[in-house]
Amino acid sequence: MWKVAVGFVAFAALALFIIMQAGDKVDMRGESAGHEMTEHAAPATPAAPAAPAAK
């Protein structure tokens, strides 16, 4: 169990070191890959009017 804790601390220290060295050049946006967001969702179509109630 202590090996897991040591491994976590070592990984966290390495990750912090890399982030500190990169400074403001780190891109945390995921899979953006330099693509600009140009796709827009189509507006939702309005719902059909309800049928009059039968009496």
Side-chain angles (χ1 to χ4, degrees):
M1 187 67 183
W2 66 271
K3 292 178 185 178
V4 174
V6 170
F8 175 78
V9 170
F11 181 77
L14 178 64
L16 285 174
F17 175 75
I18 291 171
I19 290 172
M20 294 299 177
Q21 291 298 315
D24 63 345
K25 294 182 287 269
V26 176
D27 183 11
M28 301 294 284
R29 290 184 290 170
E31 298 183 16
S32 63
H35 301 293
E36 294 298 323
M37 186 64 159
T38 56
E39 296 180 26
H40 299 286
T45 57
K55 292 184 181 183

